[in-house]
Amino acid sequence: MALAESTILQGLGVGLRSAVGEVWRVFPQAKLPAWTKTQTNKDAATAALRSAIAAVATDLDTLGARAGGESVEIFDALKVLLEDEELFAVASANLDEGWRPAAAFGMAVNTFAELLEGDSAFAERVADLQDLSKRVQANLAGISMTLDLPQTGNIVLVGDDFSPADTAQFTAAVVGVVTINGGPTSHTSIICRSRSIPAVVSVASANELQNGQRVLVDPVGDRVVVSGTVGDSTSAIEFVALSDEPIIPVRSNIGTLTDARAAAKTGADGVGLFRTELLYLNEKKQPSIEQQTAAFVEILNAAPSGPVVVRTIDAGGDKPVPFLPMSAEENPSLGVRGYRLIHEHRWFIEAQLKALEAARVASGRDVWVMAPMISSVPEAREFCDLARSIGQFKVGIMVEIPSISVLVGDLKSIVDFISIGTNDLSQYLFAADRMNPGHGKLLNPWQPGLIRTLALIAAAGKTAGIPVGVCGESASDPLFAVVLAGLGVTAVSASASQVDVVRRALSSVNLEQAKMVADRALAATSPEQAKENALSALAE
Ligand code: PEP
Ligand code: MG
C-alpha cells in the first residue's frame, strides 16, 4: 500500500539543504546463486576466478575514471583489496576443497571480513570487501551490477546502503539519497556530504517508499516527507561567515597519507585526530621503528599546518592487527581495546611513541600524542608518564568512556589536553553498539544525555585549566559544532570533507551566541527538541 501524503519517515540527516524528487528504488541485484561444493576441476575453477577478478578490476578502473578526482584513489585502494594474493590463497584453498569459484571467493572474503569487523574505520573496509565479493560472484554468474540510473530528471535514490562502486554511478539526476541502513559514518553519508547531495540515512521504514512517489529529503529535519515540498523543509541553515577565523580552532581527522593530503587542501588548523591503526591493518609483521618513522614523517609533512594530534593504536578485540595476537572475546567493544593493549603489548605502544618522536624531530612538526580508551586516572597518569619519557610531545587522553568523563577535574597536572571521542562515548553512555544501524536514534549526537555529559566534561576541563577538544563524528555537524563551542569545548576536529563548512559555521557566530545556542540545546529532553532549540536560537 502506498504511503499516505505527508507521512514522515525519520532517519539521520546528512547535509544542510533539502531536495524534492521522485523515488528511484535500488533493489539488491538479482539473487546470487547459492554456494555449492560441486567443482571437480581446480585448474578451470582457478582460471574462472582469476578472470572474474580481472573483469571486476577493469570495472573499478572505469568507475574510478568516471568518478574522477579523489575517487580515483578510492578505486585504486579497492583494487588492492580485490587483487590481494593472500585473499586469493584462501579462496584457492577453498577451491581445493571442491567449492565452486563464487563460493570459494565469497568464503575467503568472509574470513577476511571477520578479522576486520569492528570500529567505523574498519567497518567501511568490510563493506567494501563484501561489495567486491558480490561483484566477483555476480560476474561469475553473468549478473550485471550496474545501477543504470537516468541522466536527467530529479530522482531520490532509495536503497539498503550504497557502496563506493554504487556512488560512482550516481548521475546528475540524483538530487537526494535515502538509505535503510548506514549511519553518520557510512560511505553513503561521507560521499553525500562531500558531494553536497542531501541524504537521510538509517531510515528504518524506507522500504515502504515506492518508485515514482514524490518525496522531500529534509536532512536538517532528519526526515523524509512523502509528497512534501521544499516549502515544508526544516529551515535550511545558511552560515554566513562574519570573520576570517572560527571562534575555536577546527582541525581535521586523518588516518592515511591520502587523508592528510585531503586535509591540507582545507582550512584545517592542523590535525585533531590521526588514527594510527589504519597504518597497520595489512602488515603481517611488526613494522620496525624505522619503517613506522618513515610512514609518520610522510604523513606529518603532508598534514595541514598546525598541531598534529596523534592517537596511539586503537586496535584490539574486534579490530585485530595481524601481528598483535589477541584472544577472541565475546564482547569485543568491552574487551582489550586501545590503551588496554599496554598489558600484553607494551613494547608496541613504546615503539609507536619512539617512532613518533623520531618523526617529530625529522618533520619539525608540533606533535601531540593521546591514548584511546582510557578509563581511570592511574591509566591516564601511566600513559602520560610513558609518553613524556619518550618524546617532547604535548600529552593527553581521549575521553570516550563514561568513567573518565566524571574524573576530568582529577586530570589536572597530569594531562596537557583531552579529546572527547563522541562516537564511543555515545556507544558506552547509551549501551548502544555503534555498528548496529538500528541504534541510529540513540547514537544521534543531539541526544540530551550526550549533550549534558559533554557540558560536564567541558566545565570540568575549564575549571582544571585543561583544553577540551572533540574529535568524534559529532564535530563534523556544523550546527552541533556551534553547540560544542558554546559548551566550552576549545577545539573541534572534523572529517576533511566537513572542515570548511564547520569552519564557516564557527565563523558565523561569536562566543556569546554559541553559548546561547548551547544553553537552549541543553534545556531539551529529546534529540529533536535539542536540534530545534539550537536552530531557533541561531535564527534569533
Ligand atoms: C570516537 O570514539 O569518537 C573516536 C573519535 O574514535 P574512533 O571513532 O576511532 O573510535
Ligand atoms: Mg573511539
Side-chain angles (χ1 to χ4, degrees):
M1 205 178 66
L3 290 171
E5 279 196 12
S6 308
T7 302
I8 290 176
L9 311 180
Q10 289 290 351
L12 287 176
V14 176
L16 304 172
R17 286 185 310 109
S18 58
V20 169
E22 282 182 12
V23 169
W24 181 285
R25 293 292 310 260
V26 177
F27 293 100
Q29 261 74 18
K31 233 172 138 25
L32 295 169
W35 291 350
T36 58
K37 211 173 182 179
T38 53
Q39 172 264 120
T40 50
N41 182 340
K42 164 99 195 268
D43 287 345
T46 304
L49 184 52
R50 286 260 184 228
S51 122
I53 290 174
V56 174
T58 308
D59 285 350
L60 293 178
D61 282 338
T62 315
L63 288 169
R66 192 185 305 165
E70 278 163 22
S71 298
V72 176
E73 289 180 33
I74 295 179
F75 285 96
D76 283 347
L78 286 176
K79 262 178 73 179
V80 172
L81 281 177
L82 175 69
E83 292 170 335
D84 186 312
E85 275 306 316
E86 293 210 14
L87 181 63
F88 196 86
V90 177
S92 179
N94 296 335
L95 290 176
D96 284 334
E97 289 178 11
W99 290 101
R100 292 184 62 78
F105 192 74
M107 288 161 63
V109 165
N110 284 352
T111 307
F112 271 56
E114 270 167 34
L115 284 175
L116 293 176
E117 229 138 52
D119 185 301
S120 53
F122 292 70
E124 259 181 49
R125 290 174 67 110
V126 171
D128 291 348
L129 256 178
Q130 290 296 6
D131 183 61
L132 293 172
S133 168
K134 270 198 253 154
R135 280 169 199 279
V136 170
Q137 294 180 58
N139 180 283
L140 284 160
I143 295 171
S144 159
M145 295 262 311
T146 50
L147 294 182
D148 287 329
L149 301 176
Q151 298 293 331
T152 55
N154 292 316
I155 59 170
V156 172
L157 285 189
V158 180
D160 283 350
D161 203 357
F162 296 102
S163 67
D166 292 333
T167 54
Q169 297 176 57
F170 286 6
T171 59
V174 178
V175 295
V177 172
V178 176
T179 64
I180 297 161
N181 293 318
T185 59
S186 64
H187 180 75
T188 305
S189 303
I190 293 165
I191 289 292
C192 288
R193 236 181 243 127
S194 68
R195 291 174 55 180
S196 298
I197 301 174
V200 184
V201 300
S202 202
V203 181
S205 45
N207 248 335
E208 295 169 41
L209 291 170
Q210 289 179 1
N211 264 332
Q213 202 160 30
R214 275 186 89 71
V215 289
L216 164 72
V217 180
D218 181 14
V220 178
D222 292 317
R223 60 188 196 152
V224 179
V225 185
V226 175
S227 311
T229 63
V230 172
D232 300 327
S233 46
T234 315
S235 310
I237 320 168
E238 286 286 341
F239 291 109
V240 181
L242 299 175
S243 91
D244 290 344
E245 283 306 310
I247 49 175
I248 55 172
V250 179
R251 313 200 200 284
S252 180
N253 291 351
I254 65 167
T256 60
L257 181 58
T258 307
D259 293 346
R261 289 183 176 142
K265 290 187 190 141
T266 70
D269 179 357
V271 168
L273 168 65
F274 171 9
R275 292 181 162 104
T276 55
E277 57 278 1
L278 292 183
L279 297 181
Y280 308 109
L281 256 184
N282 294 325
E283 300 290 339
K284 303 296 175 304
K285 277 201 344 245
Q286 175 209 344
S288 65
I289 293 184
E290 291 70 30
Q291 284 167 325
Q292 293 192 56
T293 305
F296 287 141
V297 169
E298 213 176 6
I299 292 178
L300 289 175
N301 283 338
S305 61
V308 181
V309 185
V310 186
R311 179 174 77 183
T312 54
I313 192 161
D314 184 13
D318 58 346
K319 36 181 190 172
V321 166
F323 56 85
L324 294 179
M326 228 107 45
S327 39
E329 294 178 292
E330 275 290 306
N331 201 340
S333 51
L334 302 182
V336 180
R337 237 198 91 177
Y339 186 66
R340 295 173 186 174
L341 265 74
I342 196 83
H343 302 297
E344 284 180 43
H345 300 291
R346 186 182 183 89
W347 56 272
F348 184 75
I349 295 178
E350 287 180 0
Q352 254 201 324
L353 289 167
K354 285 178 189 160
L356 279 167
E357 173 61 2
R360 183 190 71 77
V361 172
S363 65
R365 297 296 303 255
D366 178 14
V367 176
W368 304 13
V369 295
M370 64 180 179
M373 301 291 290
I374 292 285
S375 51
S376 69
V377 174
E379 265 180 9
R381 184 179 293 114
E382 185 190 41
F383 173 73
C384 293
D385 288 348
L386 175 65
R388 290 194 184 102
S389 74
I390 292 177
Q392 287 175 34
F393 313 113
K394 271 199 184 173
V395 180
I397 62 161
M398 287 198 65
V399 171
E400 49 186 351
I401 298 182
S403 60
I404 198 73
S405 72
V406 293
L407 290 166
V408 168
D410 296 274
L411 295 172
K412 189 180 163 85
S413 69
I414 297 177
V415 298
D416 296 320
F417 69 96
I418 60 172
S419 181
I420 307 173
T422 45
N423 307 336
D424 276 312
L425 187 56
S426 291
Q427 154 161 277
Y428 298 123
L429 269 179
F430 292 90
D433 182 347
R434 62 191 264 188
M435 298 315 299
N436 182 338
H439 289 327
K441 214 173 151 100
L442 290 174
L443 299 173
N444 181 344
W446 293 95
Q447 278 287 356
L450 178 68
I451 299 180
R452 293 193 196 183
T453 304
L454 295 173
L456 295 175
I457 300 172
K462 186 167 183 205
T463 308
I466 301 171
V468 178
V470 172
C471 62
E473 209 49 39
S474 65
S476 290
D477 173 338
L479 180 60
F480 199 77
V482 172
V483 171
L484 291 173
L487 292 175
V489 162
T490 55
V492 288
S493 189
S495 6
S497 64
Q498 287 300 98
V499 164
D500 287 335
V501 61
V502 171
R503 267 182 68 89
R504 195 172 333 121
L506 288 170
S507 309
S508 72
V509 288
N510 60 34
L511 210 46
E512 278 314 303
Q513 288 166 317
K515 276 189 187 141
M516 196 177 78
V517 174
D519 281 347
R520 296 277 284 278
L522 269 174
T525 51
S526 73
E528 295 77 19
Q529 199 187 14
K531 191 167 175 179
E532 230 176 86
N533 286 1
L535 276 171
S536 58
L538 198 67
E540 280 169 17

